[in-house]
Amino acid sequence: MDMKRVGVIGGGAAGCMAAFAAAQAGVKVTLLEKNDIVGKKMGITGKGRCNLTNACSMEEFIANTPGHGRFLYSAYGQFSNQDLCKLVHQWGLETKVERGGRVFPLRDSAIEVRKLWYKALLRVGVDIQLNETVRAIEHTMGHFVVETMQCTYTFDACIIATGGMSYPSTGSTGDGYRFARQLGHEVTELRPALVPFVTRETWPNQLSGLTLKNTEVSLWQGKKQIGNEFGEVLCTHFGVSGPTILRLSSILAHQRKWTYPLILKLNVKPALRVEQLDKRIQRDVEANIRKQVGHALKKLLPQRLLPIVLAQAHIPEDLVVNQLTKEQRSALVEVLQHIPLTITGTRPLTEAIVTAGGVNVKEINPKTMESKIIQHLYFAGEVLDIDAFTGGYNLQAAFSTGYVAGKQAAQEEVG
């Protein structure tokens, strides 16, 4: 009897893990990757350091996955963050845990991780076909016929792990969605997640590169608050970015009914109550009684932000502080805790860290990653309608779903 043949389409985190798990289970695995290396996107994650996973509990993983986190319960049960760390430690990769539970390679090298995966795949006998762009996948006579630019492959089982549509330069160009549709699957609306916001106001452009730390950020549709985050906001040439903004964009991507424009409110003094902030301003005024407002309040805010805030509060920069009225002080306090920005959109999907939307998870068995429509067809990673916040959650989802798909594809009996 011939050995079972499993084809894995895509050599990212999910595809590498799927190929590894299937080959380790004793079947013949061919990995088809359009790039000249495996794990290209893995090589740029975590700003080139590779945020492999997170050290938190599986319950926290689910909570940090706004895009169908519950679908991942079984996958995380079968291959957890601890299992991943144990595996890479066996390969000789040392890891460390940083702020927020983020797990990185000890030497901060995403390229080291990518090379380790390549060697691991070769060790378990995976046939890696690089520069092999898949054009079409057909299911016929119980087999999968995969046509590439070079030749045609026939597999007993097929795992689609082609990623989303973010970072197209790494090969994530949405091919998997086309294959899924051709094979009868529904692909839900594709939206950018973990993506910067574009603002109507131009002042963020004037402050481009400035990071506002310890800022409370809330996103509003009329009187309805969509989300609230605390942390850093980065001013850019098109609007705002940074960890708080990226998380809010993911929350927004999973809201059902909303339309632009939205309002973003920045509280740059969230630790102080209104009365405390007013007293703080009064102290600065009393210490600089003959100076102009623009100089007297320079300790209150980053120097580049102060003129923007004063303008929002309708206070002239050259006003001598002893002429500052109680009403003007009150207006300044209001602005400091509610700097408004009009959000007109996000940066395009190609600039998003992840894609929200994808192959409908209702059509996938969460215990096996197998299609409910076609037997022996599996999906893993970002091509599925799953997405998480930053912090190692997305890579772990890719590794876990890839592991389950590879293991199951190897075990399933082919008729």
Side-chain angles (χ1 to χ4, degrees):
M1 183 178 171
D2 290 338
M3 187 183 287
K4 184 176 181 181
R5 298 158 299 172
V6 174
V8 180
I9 319 302
C16 284
M17 179 59 88
F20 179 82
Q24 202 175 41
V27 297
K28 185 177 180 181
V29 179
T30 301
L31 175 62
L32 303 176
E33 168 55 50
K34 65 160 64 170
N35 290 306
D36 57 359
I37 54 173
V38 296
K40 190 168 184 180
K41 190 174 179 181
M42 218 188 306
I44 64 169
T45 60
K47 296 180 180 175
R49 297 171 58 218
C50 194
N51 186 184
L52 274 167
T53 183
N54 198 288
C56 68
S57 67
M58 288 299 104
E59 288 74 18
E60 288 175 274
F61 266 93
I62 304 300
N64 279 285
T65 307
H68 295 110
R70 290 178 181 275
F71 174 81
L72 297 168
Y73 263 115
S74 181
Y76 286 152
Q78 294 178 65
F79 190 82
S80 68
N81 51 353
Q82 293 176 351
D83 296 322
L84 176 66
C85 289
K86 185 179 177 183
L87 180 66
V88 296
H89 291 165
Q90 287 171 357
W91 296 348
L93 182 76
E94 295 178 89
T95 58
K96 59 184 175 180
V97 180
E98 295 190 1
R99 180 177 54 85
R102 290 169 166 82
V103 178
F104 288 94
L106 186 63
R107 287 178 286 276
D108 289 327
S109 173
I111 293 173
E112 179 186 11
V113 175
R114 181 170 55 70
K115 287 179 177 176
L116 271 176
W117 268 107
Y118 184 67
K119 290 175 184 174
L121 293 171
L122 292 178
R123 273 200 309 274
V124 292
V126 174
D127 175 24
I128 304 172
Q129 295 294 326
L130 300 173
N131 298 305
E132 195 77 287
T133 301
V134 174
R135 294 173 61 183
I137 303 172
E138 284 186 31
H139 182 245
T140 177
M141 305 290 288
H143 297 290
F144 295 91
V145 178
V146 178
E147 180 189 341
T148 72
M149 304 295 260
Q150 280 78 29
C151 60
T152 301
Y153 298 84
T154 303
F155 301 117
D156 301 306
C158 182
I159 302 171
I160 296 177
T162 48
M165 286 187 73
S166 53
Y167 290 107
S169 61
T170 63
S172 299
T173 51
D175 301 342
Y177 304 131
R178 178 166 53 85
F179 302 148
R181 289 188 186 103
Q182 289 170 349
L183 292 163
H185 275 275
E186 179 195 356
V187 175
T188 61
E189 182 190 354
L190 304 174
R191 306 172 305 282
L194 298 179
V195 66
F197 284 142
V198 176
T199 62
R200 181 178 293 162
E201 292 82 1
T202 57
W203 64 258
N205 180 28
Q206 299 166 36
L207 306 184
S208 188
L210 177 67
T211 298
L212 306 177
K213 297 181 178 180
N214 302 319
T215 301
E216 187 178 352
V217 191
S218 55
L219 184 64
W220 298 78
Q221 168 88 71
K223 293 182 179 179
K224 180 193 174 188
Q225 183 173 294
I226 293 171
N228 188 77
E229 295 292 331
F230 177 83
E232 293 184 356
V233 176
L234 173 66
C235 296
T236 70
H237 66 280
F238 51 76
V240 284
S241 186
T244 57
I245 302 302
L246 298 183
R247 285 177 68 93
L248 284 173
S249 74
S250 280
I251 293 169
L252 180 64
H254 295 284
Q255 294 291 310
R256 294 203 171 179
K257 291 182 180 179
W258 57 270
T259 54
Y260 291 117
L262 301 169
I263 298 298
L264 193 72
K265 295 179 183 178
L266 309 182
N267 182 350
V268 293
K269 295 293 177 184
L272 301 176
R273 296 193 306 274
V274 170
E275 302 80 14
Q276 292 173 317
L277 184 52
D278 186 48
K279 285 180 181 177
R280 161 71 202 276
I281 293 169
Q282 284 185 63
R283 284 200 302 272
D284 285 353
V285 165
E286 288 163 6
N288 300 276
I289 202 73
R290 289 186 172 81
K291 291 184 179 178
Q292 294 177 339
V293 172
H295 294 292
L297 301 179
K298 63 183 180 182
K299 290 183 180 179
L300 188 65
L301 289 172
Q303 197 168 353
R304 293 167 65 196
L305 180 62
L306 184 56
I308 306 295
V309 169
L310 290 173
Q312 296 256 353
H314 305 292
I315 300 172
E317 278 186 76
D318 59 0
L319 181 74
V320 179
V321 289
N322 62 10
Q323 296 176 352
L324 192 68
T325 66
K326 184 180 178 182
E327 289 73 27
Q328 285 174 316
R329 257 196 353 259
S330 179
L332 181 56
V333 167
E334 172 67 20
V335 171
L336 286 167
Q337 297 196 321
H338 301 91
I339 301 174
L341 278 168
T342 309
I343 306 302
T344 56
T346 67
R347 295 297 284 176
L349 186 51
T350 53
E351 293 182 30
I353 294 176
V354 294
T355 306
V359 176
N360 193 334
V361 294
K362 291 179 181 176
E363 300 172 350
I364 308 297
N365 183 336
K367 294 179 180 177
T368 62
M369 296 299 136
E370 186 176 19
S371 163
K372 293 178 181 178
I373 296 171
I374 298 177
Q375 199 175 11
H376 311 306
L377 173 65
Y378 301 82
F379 292 90
E382 199 182 337
V383 72
L384 290 162
D385 184 5
I386 51 174
D387 65 279
F389 295 134
T390 55
Y393 308 110
N394 285 294
L395 262 185
Q396 182 64 52
F399 287 132
S400 294
T401 55
Y403 174 85
V404 172
K407 182 182 165 193
Q408 291 293 331
Q411 290 177 350
E412 281 285 314
E413 287 293 322
V414 176

